[in-house]
Each structure stands twice: as C-alpha cells, then as structure tokens.
Amino acid sequence: MKITRVRAILTAPEGIALVVVKVETDQDGLYGLGCATFTQRPTLVARAVDEYLDPLLQGRDPANIEDMWHLMMVNSYWRNGPVLNNAVSGVDMALWDIKGKVANMPVYDLLGGKCREAAMVYRHADGRDPQEVLDNVQKYQSEGYLAVRCQMGGYGGRVQDIRPGAALPSKGAPQATHRGRGMDRLDSAFPGTYYNPDVYARSIPPLFDHIRSNVGDGLFLLHDIHERLAPIDAIRMAKALEPYRLFFLEDAFAPDQIEWFRRLRDQCATPIAMGELHNNPLEWRPLIAEQLIDYIRAHLSQLGGLTPARKLAALCEAYGVRTAWHGPGDVSPIGHAANLHLDLACHNFGIQEVINFSEPLYEVFPGTPELRGGYVWANDKPGFGVDLDEAAAAKYPIELKVIEWTQGRWPDGTIWTP
Ligand code: GCO
Ligand code: MG
C-alpha cells in the first residue's frame, strides 16, 4: 500500500478557518483525514502540507505511523512550532484514520478499546452580569449537561463597572473592539481589545458565589483565566475560588511561567488545568512529573497529532493527571473525534470540552460526534468515523483577516497574552 497524495483542505462552515489534511492511497477509495487547524495562520499550515509533507511522504507505506511521525518532525531540522506541528498532526491523524479503515475498527479500538461509553462534556456559559451568567448556566443544566464553564464578558472580562447597581453595557454594544471603543482605556493608547485585569479579578469570586449558591452542589463548574492576569493575581483568584469547588481553573499562567505553578500548588487546592498552548514536551513534562496540574488540556494538533497525544496521556496516567483535551471552535470535527477516541480509550480521562456541533458542521463533516445527555458520543465506524464532503466544504471558504481578539491590552495600552 502506498501514499499517493497528501493535501490540505481549508473550510470555515462556522466562520472559523479549519484546516484538514487528506492522505490518499493507491487502494481504491482508501484515504484518511486529520485535523491541522491553526486558525490564526491557516494558509501557512496548508503550504507546509502541500509543499513539504506531500513530496516527503508520497510512495511510503501509510501503515508506518510511528516512523513517519518522527520523520516529519525531524525532516525540517527545526521543530516544535505551531505551523509545522499542525501540519504533522494533519498527516498523523489521517494515518490513524487509514489504519482504522484497513483494520475495520474505530481508532479507540486500536488504542486498547473503550473503557467508557461516552465522554462527559462541559459547555460554555457567559453573560454581562452574574445573573445573566446564571441564566445561561441553568439553561445548560436543564438540557442535561453536568458541567459548565462560567465566564463573564469573555476572556479577561469586559464588564465595565462591577459596583452594585452600576449600569451594564447594553445588549450587543461593542464592549471591546479593535479601536478600543467603550472600554476603560487611555484615549491615546494603541488600538486593541481592551480589558481591565483588576476589574476582571475582582468580578470572578462574586460570580461563582452567585452561581454556586443558586445551582447547589450537583453541577461541575469551571473557569478559564486564559493567562489574562499577572501571576500573583491569578494565585489570589485561585485561592478566592477555593470555597466554590471548581472542577478546574484553566490557564492561570502562560506556558513559559512553569515556576508559578509550584507556588500556586503550595498554597491552594483549586484543581488546575493547563496545556492548550503547549507545543513542546519541555512545557508539559515538569508540570506532570511534579504533579503541579490536575488536568492536561493539550490541543492535539498543536502537539503533532494523536501519536504524541496518546503518549502524553500515558505519561499523565502514571502521575494521576487526567485529560481534558482542548475542544474549542477552532478544532475541526475530525479533531473533536480524535479527542473523543482518546477519551473513550484512556483510563485517566477527566472531561471533554465541546462546541455546539451545528448543521453546517454536520453537512461538511458527516459523522461528526453527537451530544446527548451531557456526554459526547462517537459513532462506531472504522477510523475516526468522520468524513469530509469536499463540495460542501467549498461552499464555506475561509476569509483571511487581521485577528483582533489577540490584541488584548490593559487600560494603559500594555499588550498582554490573549
Ligand atoms: C478554550 C480556549 C479557546 C482559545 C482558542 C484560541 O479554553 O476553549 O481558551 O477558546 O481561546 O482556541 O484560538
Ligand atoms: Mg482555554
């Protein structure tokens, strides 16, 4: 069996650029699909696939995944960056998809078989004030969800004034825009998406007080700091949230602030999740080996695909760290399926982040996993069980534009990790 072609396909059924890799073979109708989505730089990943990985891999036997993963990683000499890791991931997942189709088995069976029927998920609730967030949390609760992530005003919060009785921004008002309109900022400061870290940090403990006292103990609650605070303020928030028993608190620090996790761990029992920005084993190894985190949140395609992710899951299992793979809108349904196949096969699964799998996503990606009763369910088709309708994909072209939300700034104009 031989690889005949490797190519990238770009599509945006939900307005978010997704990158998919298709690996074709010389066997009639046999191909595999993988997720290579780096939504902020999609065309660079596509070029890496089409111009470098296609010629490298044509003619090779698609069975040898482990060999080809290492070959792809070292062939560029420089490695562990997001563009190339995503390109490698697209091929890697596609090869697992092919292996499953050849074996006539779902990928979770290749990984040792199911150790649970479905994966518990969490959904995202937001709102302009604690009551609006609570309303949205209760909406998910009434739909049967068991876990909800609560934010107020998006990452870093954009509520302008948290004093009791202060007016809320009107519905749909631009709270933070590229030009910084309507937000707490100096007039002369750079254009950007402004937020106030102090207001944000003060607003979150009262938010969780309100939600926990209304929903009771039976719902798992989560929060994502998204690296929006100075490290010591993140520690203070983690401590203030302890009484509300979060399922986890995510991205308290940036990936290059590993030493702060040691300080946080020493003084607080809020469960910690980390990893969606990880590219390099050096970023996660100390966090796991020193048991500084409770949940690994890696973004599979950022790691280089299923091959490194299953090894990471096994490393985590040895140290009592559970998985909570990154599952936002900028992961294709094939990537969501890859998350799910690991969830089903890994004993140390914790929770799965998912999105609303909309009609356009099911149209472009038949076989996309299904949400039912607070869980995400895989179909039992061979491989990842998700196909790509290329004609449907072409109906949703990607649009290249300057990304505004990653221009987060503090009121004095200081740019900060988004
Ligand atoms: C999450 C994430 C995402 C990221 C996004 C970046 O926890 O779901 O933080 O929302 O911000 O994937 O493109
Ligand atoms: Mg996150």
Side-chain angles (χ1 to χ4, degrees):
M1 196 188 305
K2 283 187 172 34
I3 294 174
T4 50
R5 196 170 169 206
V6 178
R7 65 193 166 95
I9 297 153
L10 302 171
T11 181
E14 274 296 307
I16 300 173
L18 303 175
V19 186
V20 174
V21 171
K22 186 166 189 173
V23 174
E24 292 165 353
T25 73
D26 60 356
Q27 309 293 299
D28 201 23
L30 179 65
Y31 59 85
L33 297 166
C35 183
T37 300
F38 176 8
T39 203
Q40 286 82 358
R41 300 291 186 267
T43 51
L44 297 185
V45 178
R47 286 193 73 165
V49 170
D50 295 346
E51 295 179 15
Y52 297 96
L53 298 183
D54 177 47
L56 178 68
L57 301 178
Q58 273 195 30
R60 293 179 199 266
D61 184 344
N64 302 327
I65 304 175
E66 185 70 15
D67 174 70
M68 273 187 280
W69 188 85
H70 285 277
L71 170 70
M72 289 188 283
M73 288 302 278
V74 298
N75 186 253
S76 58
Y77 184 67
W78 277 283
R79 50 194 176 270
N80 291 319
V83 172
L84 296 183
N85 279 11
N86 269 287
V88 170
S89 164
V91 174
D92 176 76
M93 289 183 191
L95 295 175
W96 280 96
D97 196 30
I98 290 174
K99 195 175 280 301
K101 289 175 178 172
V102 170
N104 198 26
M105 282 183 191
V107 172
Y108 60 72
D109 269 333
L110 303 177
L111 298 173
K114 274 187 189 176
C115 60
R116 58 187 55 77
E117 276 307 319
M120 179 175 72
V121 301
Y122 69 87
R123 300 301 306 267
H124 297 172
D126 206 317
R128 293 166 302 164
D129 66 0
Q131 187 55 42
E132 199 169 79
V133 181
L134 176 65
D135 293 343
N136 291 325
V137 169
Q138 287 176 325
K139 183 176 70 72
Y140 283 126
Q141 201 177 15
S142 70
E143 290 168 14
Y145 288 100
L146 308 169
V148 183
R149 189 190 78 172
C150 310
Q151 308 290 134
M152 190 162 63
Y155 300 131
R158 280 166 212 142
V159 179
Q160 287 170 297
D161 190 340
I162 61 162
R163 284 170 305 179
L168 290 167
S170 58
K171 267 210 166 86
Q175 291 178 38
T177 70
H178 188 47
R179 300 287 151 223
R181 248 179 308 140
M183 187 52 206
D184 192 4
R185 66 181 284 247
L186 295 179
D187 280 347
S188 58
F190 304 102
T193 302
Y194 278 75
Y195 72 101
N196 185 323
D198 180 53
V199 172
Y200 163 57
R202 283 187 288 121
S203 70
I204 296 304
L207 167 69
F208 278 92
D209 189 49
H210 186 64
I211 292 172
R212 183 55 87 199
S213 58
N214 279 283
V215 299
D217 290 331
L219 186 70
F220 294 122
L221 301 177
L222 304 84
H223 183 69
D224 189 351
I225 295 183
H226 216 271
E227 314 166 69
R228 293 283 176 131
L229 295 175
I232 193 64
D233 293 327
I235 292 183
R236 192 160 44 189
M237 185 189 285
K239 290 170 72 168
L241 291 175
E242 230 173 357
Y244 309 112
R245 282 166 291 101
L246 262 54
F247 187 91
F248 66 56
L249 179 65
E250 178 185 345
D251 284 14
F253 315 117
D256 54 1
Q257 293 173 322
I258 285 174
E259 34 331 313
W260 284 96
F261 284 96
R262 301 191 180 104
R263 302 201 163 96
L264 171 56
R265 205 56 161 176
D266 281 348
Q267 48 182 313
C268 168
T270 292
I272 297 300
M274 179 65 190
E276 70 180 52
L277 285 123
H278 284 165
N279 290 285
N280 187 318
L282 293 175
E283 293 166 323
W284 65 74
R285 254 177 5 218
L287 296 182
I288 297 161
E290 293 179 46
Q291 291 162 319
L292 299 176
I293 60 171
D294 302 281
Y295 295 92
I296 188 76
R297 291 263 305 131
H299 185 109
L300 260 53
S301 65
Q302 279 288 117
L303 303 183
L306 188 77
T307 294
R310 73 190 183 100
K311 296 174 184 176
L312 172 55
L315 177 71
C316 285
E317 184 178 2
Y319 288 95
V321 174
R322 286 182 281 170
T323 66
W325 307 117
H326 195 218
D330 49 322
V331 164
S332 73
I334 294 154
H336 282 281
N339 285 340
L340 176 54
H341 283 246
L342 277 174
D343 299 341
L344 296 177
C346 293
H347 186 258
N348 58 323
F349 164 74
I351 199 164
Q352 183 57 57
E353 180 184 34
V354 286
I355 51 166
N356 174 40
F357 296 119
S358 63
E359 276 315 310
L361 285 173
Y362 283 109
E363 178 197 358
V364 176
F365 295 97
T368 292
E370 286 177 21
L371 295 173
R372 275 198 312 277
Y375 291 82
V376 56
W377 301 77
N379 60 49
D380 300 322
K381 294 193 184 119
F384 288 118
V386 180
D387 206 352
L388 174 70
D389 179 333
E390 290 192 51
K395 291 190 346 206
Y396 303 97
I398 69 159
E399 195 192 323
L400 291 184
K401 47 183 186 266
V402 171
I403 309 219
E404 299 191 352
W405 76 269
T406 52
Q407 302 183 40
R409 293 185 188 272
W410 286 6
D412 69 352
T414 306
I415 195 151
W416 202 256
T417 44

